[in-house]
Amino acid sequence: VNNHKAGTPRSMLNIIKNKPVFLYLLPFFFVLHGFTENFDFVPVKDALLLTATYTGAAVLLSFTAWLLYKNFTKANLLAMGIMALHFFFGSMHDFLRNIFPGSLISRHIFVIPFFFLLLIVLAVSLKKIKKKPVKVTRFLNTFLLLLLLIDSGILISKSLTKRNSHSSLPAIFKSCDSCSKPDIYFILLDEYAGNTALTDLFGFDNNNFTTELGKRSFHSIPKSFSNYNYTPFSVASILNMNYLDLQGRERGKKDLTYCYEIIRDNQLLQFLKHHKYTFYNYSVFDFEGQPARTRETFLPAKTRLITSQTLLSRFDKEIRFNLITRWKSKSNLKTLTYYNKVNNENIYNLTRKLAEKKSVQPKFVYTHLMMPHYPYYFDKNGNERPFEELTEGNQTNKTAYVEYLQHTNKQIMSLVDHILKSSEKPPIIVLMGDHGFRHFIQPVDTKYHFLNMAAVHLPSSNYTGLHDSLSSVNIFRTILNTEFRQQLPYLKDSSSYLID
């Protein structure tokens, strides 16, 4: 027994020195590192599935390379080079973009052939090597094990911090355990312009819609406006019920990342979770444990937080789009063009089904529909527009926008009626545009970029706090004050015009 125990460390040391296990340590490290960076946002089972998928790919690559070398160490080195290129392509490309901004070296047309040339050089060099690469094997095994230990320590630290943290309310709130806690439906309609903008710039009066909402005890805010003219910024301020601490007026990467972080961990959700609300994310944004609702591959959507920088993800986001638009691939262009339509239908149906679901805990549902946002898929009678009218360049078609808005009205009215009918007690429903219409051919007053539609249904029917020109940042402050007996001060209503 003693010999066996003594032999175990020696066996492990022998594996580290001589066995090419680095290939199988790499996917484990890649997923663990991403899981740790996005702690509490990716379920363990999804991370394990991703690890298994990458490990299977590594085994397949190793076997294929063995047919070339008849040596597993060399085969695993080549397979590791391919896996590393896939895993870290986005990070390496971003590094080149930062060092050589705008130059040929940072463009896909140079970067991809260059990286693949390096793989060919690696493959040829391994073929020529006669000696077994023991030192390389030992180094890679040791290095990856060290990285795994570091990430494991960070993960344990984060787990302990979470376990020891208290679920106390942020200081601006007070608990309201005796409140009735109705279900809350936050339905964000992307780029839904306010009636003032529709009247002034489109010659269209949307009062029929607001009148129908009024019959269902909604209160419309006639001069509502958003605080920012881009969706992530607007949503971050709405959910956090506060203005954003931005570095400037440009829609830069750091400020965008900051907005995504605010959205993931916003004050409204903190308040509602404290009051035992169950959150349902039917939106285009990632939240803790609940990623954006988009069409999924065989891998769970939650793993996108880990895989977003991989070669395949970058190809899908950047290269495929350029190929589709440049080569006019109609089948791929159609898939891209109808992307929002598919997601809208999915999110809409999920919201309808959830409204029918009876639950002990109150619900907070965030439904984000890319309606009447471009492409304008339907006319006012619900007829689909031809594909040629949906492609890039038709955003400025005001007639198509107004007709799609009228179609949106019908869809939303049907959804509202379904929610009201299915709810056991009167719910809170917030209908809101994240900003106004922005695709103008001729320059217009920037105020029109912010004028949005906003209407609220409150169980108490107490709408005294919703004044006629309330901005988006104060909507949920008003709702919490009215329905949850909070005493949140109103912020000064203002807008920040951001530029690309």
Side-chain angles (χ1 to χ4, degrees):
V1 174
N2 289 337
N3 288 339
H4 174 72
K5 286 183 178 179
T8 301
R10 286 200 296 271
S11 299
M12 292 296 294
L13 188 60
N14 184 57
I15 290 173
I16 294 172
K17 286 183 176 180
N18 302 302
K19 305 297 181 183
V21 294
F22 49 78
L23 175 62
Y24 312 108
L25 294 176
L26 180 62
F28 188 40
F29 160 70
F30 177 75
V31 176
L32 178 63
H33 186 74
F35 182 83
T36 303
E37 277 194 330
N38 299 281
F39 178 69
D40 242 5
F41 290 92
V42 181
V44 174
K45 62 181 180 62
D46 293 347
L48 291 174
L49 175 60
L50 186 63
T51 305
T53 302
Y54 283 146
T55 302
V59 170
L60 183 61
L61 285 170
S62 175
F63 177 75
T64 305
W66 181 85
L67 297 176
L68 174 66
Y69 298 117
K70 298 297 189 289
N71 179 290
F72 271 118
T73 300
K74 292 183 178 182
N76 283 12
L77 281 169
L78 180 59
M80 184 178 179
I82 296 171
M83 295 292 289
L85 173 61
H86 174 67
F87 289 150
F88 307 115
F89 174 81
S91 300
M92 292 186 291
H93 191 201
D94 286 344
F95 174 77
L96 291 176
R97 281 171 167 168
N98 291 331
I99 300 298
F100 307 104
S103 69
L104 175 65
I105 295 177
S106 65
R107 293 174 59 189
H108 289 111
I109 196 171
F110 172 84
V111 170
I112 292 178
F114 175 73
F115 285 147
F116 276 97
L117 179 61
L118 290 180
L119 285 179
I120 293 171
V121 171
L122 174 63
V124 173
S125 299
L126 288 171
K127 187 70 175 175
K128 291 181 177 180
I129 292 174
K130 301 300 181 182
K131 290 184 178 181
K132 190 176 180 180
V134 177
K135 289 184 178 180
V136 175
T137 298
R138 188 180 305 169
F139 169 76
L140 290 175
N141 287 348
T142 305
F143 181 64
L144 284 167
L145 281 171
L146 181 61
L147 292 178
L148 284 168
L149 285 173
I150 292 172
D151 274 337
S152 297
I154 295 171
L155 181 60
I156 291 170
S157 175
K158 287 186 175 184
S159 300
L160 292 174
T161 301
K162 181 190 175 185
R163 189 180 302 170
N164 296 330
S165 65
H166 301 288
S167 59
S168 58
L169 277 171
I172 65 168
F173 300 119
K174 60 181 181 179
S175 188
C176 187
D177 296 330
S178 61
C179 293
S180 61
K181 299 173 189 172
D183 290 341
I184 303 173
Y185 291 86
F186 174 42
I187 302 174
L188 198 73
L189 303 171
D190 209 293
E191 205 164 359
Y192 196 122
N195 202 34
T196 300
L198 292 173
T199 304
D200 290 355
L201 303 177
F202 295 81
F204 174 73
D205 191 337
N206 202 29
N207 274 329
N208 286 340
F209 179 59
T210 55
T211 299
E212 288 300 315
L213 288 175
K215 293 177 182 178
R216 293 156 175 81
S217 298
F218 274 79
H219 176 81
S220 294
I221 305 171
K223 299 178 182 178
S224 169
F225 61 94
S226 66
N227 307 100
Y228 302 92
N229 55 319
Y230 283 108
T231 302
F233 297 82
S234 183
V235 172
S237 64
I238 291 169
L239 295 177
N240 209 44
M241 301 178 290
N242 217 331
Y243 288 103
L244 305 175
D245 185 15
L246 303 179
Q247 295 187 358
R249 289 297 179 91
E250 294 184 1
R251 193 175 53 150
K253 184 177 179 181
K254 287 185 178 179
D255 281 338
L256 269 175
T257 302
Y258 162 71
C259 288
Y260 294 140
E261 290 172 352
I262 293 260
I263 290 170
R264 287 186 190 182
D265 187 26
N266 61 81
Q267 292 191 120
L268 175 63
L269 203 51
Q270 290 173 27
F271 175 86
L272 294 175
K273 284 186 174 180
H274 176 83
H275 289 89
K276 311 302 181 185
Y277 272 78
T278 302
F279 175 52
Y280 295 89
N281 178 27
Y282 297 157
S283 82
V284 297
F285 295 104
D286 293 317
F287 290 82
E288 180 178 342
Q290 296 195 53
R293 283 284 177 170
T294 58
R295 292 173 297 157
E296 299 184 18
T297 61
F298 70 95
L299 288 172
K302 299 177 180 64
T303 59
R304 273 199 324 275
L305 295 170
I306 299 175
T307 63
S308 62
Q309 291 283 70
T310 61
L311 176 60
L312 288 179
S313 292
R314 280 295 184 93
F315 178 87
D316 190 59
K317 285 189 294 186
E318 297 180 1
I319 304 170
R320 187 169 69 92
F321 177 79
N322 289 331
L323 292 177
I324 289 169
T325 53
R326 183 173 297 180
W327 292 350
K328 306 297 182 184
S329 170
K330 194 162 186 179
S331 61
N332 285 322
L333 189 56
K334 277 194 171 183
T335 300
L336 191 66
T337 300
Y338 287 104
Y339 187 85
N340 281 343
K341 180 176 179 289
V342 173
N343 286 333
N344 284 339
E345 291 169 353
N346 179 36
I347 289 171
Y348 185 90
N349 290 329
L350 284 169
T351 307
R352 285 185 65 93
K353 289 178 182 177
L354 184 61
E356 300 167 2
K357 181 181 177 183
K358 309 302 178 186
S359 59
V360 177
Q361 299 297 112
K363 301 189 286 275
F364 173 53
V365 186
Y366 171 24
T367 295
H368 191 132
L369 296 167
M370 301 300 286
M371 300 167 64
H373 187 283
Y374 180 81
Y376 314 128
Y377 296 110
F378 298 94
D379 66 17
K380 63 182 178 182
N381 297 316
N383 300 313
E384 284 200 51
R385 291 193 176 276
F387 169 72
E388 290 71 23
E389 295 182 16
L390 305 176
T391 52
E392 188 69 24
N394 289 291
Q395 296 97 319
T396 57
N397 189 332
K398 290 184 178 181
T399 301
Y401 171 80
V402 168
E403 293 215 0
Y404 191 38
L405 183 142
Q406 290 172 273
H407 170 75
T408 300
N409 288 349
K410 294 175 184 177
Q411 296 295 106
I412 295 305
M413 201 63 72
S414 174
L415 180 59
V416 163
D417 286 340
H418 183 72
I419 292 171
L420 292 174
K421 180 181 177 181
S422 303
S423 300
E424 292 183 7
K425 59 182 180 181
I428 295 172
I429 304 176
V430 179
L431 302 176
M432 186 191 304
D434 55 341
H435 50 72
F437 184 83
R438 299 176 310 194
H439 305 291
F440 299 103
I441 297 176
Q442 300 296 331
V444 300
D445 191 319
T446 55
K447 71 177 183 180
Y448 292 111
H449 291 249
F450 300 95
L451 294 177
N452 63 340
M453 183 276 294
V456 179
H457 178 278
L458 297 179
S460 67
S461 296
N462 177 8
Y463 299 113
T464 54
L466 298 169
H467 62 80
D468 287 354
S469 57
L470 193 71
S471 72
S472 300
V473 74
N474 282 313
I475 293 288
F476 278 106
R477 283 178 174 258
T478 304
I479 291 171
L480 295 190
N481 288 345
T482 304
E483 302 296 319
F484 293 88
R485 298 199 288 272
Q486 299 302 297
Q487 296 177 340
L488 303 174
Y490 283 89
L491 304 180
K492 182 180 179 181
D493 292 306
S494 64
S495 295
S496 296
Y497 186 80
L498 302 174
I499 58 176
D500 285 316

